[in-house]
Amino acid sequence: AAVNPQVGPLALLLALVLFLWTPPHFWSLAIANQSQYAAAGVPMLPVVVGAARAARIVHGSTVALVAVSLLPVFFGAGWIVFAGALAGGVHFLRKTHALARQPSRQTAMAAFFASMVQLSALLAAVAIGIHTDYAAACAAMIRADRVVCHNPAVADLYEPVYRRYCELECRALQGANHG
C-alpha cells in the first residue's frame, strides 16, 4: 500500500493463501496435542469432532490451499512462483494425506512442519520472482534507456519502487561497465 494504494489480484491471492494456510497449520498441531486441549477444556477441532475427522478436514483444507497457491501464475506471477507453490504444496499434501490415512501425533507433527515448508517455499519463490523481474527490467533499461517490464502485474504493484531500484542498479552497472 505504501508503493501503490491499489490492491491487485496477486496481493489478494497471497492474502487468501495466508488465510487458507492458517487452519491446516494450527489444526495439525491441535491433532498432535489433542489430549492437552481436551484436558484444558479448549474446544479445538480435534477435541470437538475427533482426530480422524479433523485429519480429513485438514487434508481437504490443504487441497484448497494448494489449488489457490497455484493461481498466481494465471495473473502474471511467473514460473518461479508456480514452481515454489507446487513443490511446497505437493510436500504439504503428502503429509496431510498421511495424516488423514493414519491420524497420530507423529503424522500430525509432520503435517504441521510441512505447512511451514509450504509457506516458506511459496514466499521464497515470490521474493525470487520479484527480484528476477527487477533484474530483467534493469537490463532492459540499460539497453533501451527506459524501464521495460514484461510482467504487468508486478509493474502495476511496484512501479514507483521498481523504477527507482532500476535507476540505481543501472547507474551502478553502467559505472562498472565504463569505469
Side-chain angles (χ1 to χ4, degrees):
V3 174
N4 184 346
Q6 297 175 346
V7 178
L10 288 175
L12 292 174
L13 282 172
L14 288 176
L16 182 58
V17 164
L18 288 174
F19 179 78
L20 293 174
W21 174 83
T22 305
H25 172 76
F26 285 106
W27 288 337
S28 295
L29 187 60
I31 292 168
N33 297 310
Q34 179 182 3
S35 62
Q36 294 174 10
Y37 285 115
V42 178
M44 290 295 282
L45 183 66
V47 173
V48 174
V49 302
R53 184 168 177 210
R56 290 191 303 273
I57 292 170
V58 165
H59 184 63
S61 299
T62 304
V63 169
L65 164 65
V66 172
V68 169
S69 72
L70 296 173
L71 291 178
V73 75
F74 299 107
F75 294 89
W79 68 269
I80 294 172
V81 174
F82 182 79
L86 185 63
V90 166
H91 178 65
F92 194 14
L93 283 170
R94 289 182 65 216
K95 298 302 182 180
T96 61
H97 182 259
L99 174 61
R101 288 183 54 196
Q102 186 177 8
S104 68
R105 177 168 174 74
Q106 182 179 356
T107 56
M109 289 305 294
F112 173 74
F113 289 121
S115 72
M116 291 183 275
V117 169
Q118 184 271 337
L119 187 61
S120 297
L122 175 62
L123 294 179
V126 168
I128 291 167
I130 288 171
H131 179 73
T132 302
D133 278 348
Y134 282 157
C138 289
M141 187 179 202
I142 290 171
R143 287 191 306 272
D145 195 31
R146 62 186 175 85
V147 174
V148 176
C149 180
H150 300 288
N151 187 337
V154 173
D156 289 346
L157 189 60
Y158 298 104
E159 172 60 31
V161 171
Y162 192 74
R163 182 173 299 282
R164 183 68 181 138
Y165 175 87
C166 288
E167 289 170 358
L168 294 172
E169 286 294 313
C170 290
R171 283 190 196 129
L173 288 172
Q174 287 171 339
N177 291 337
H178 296 299

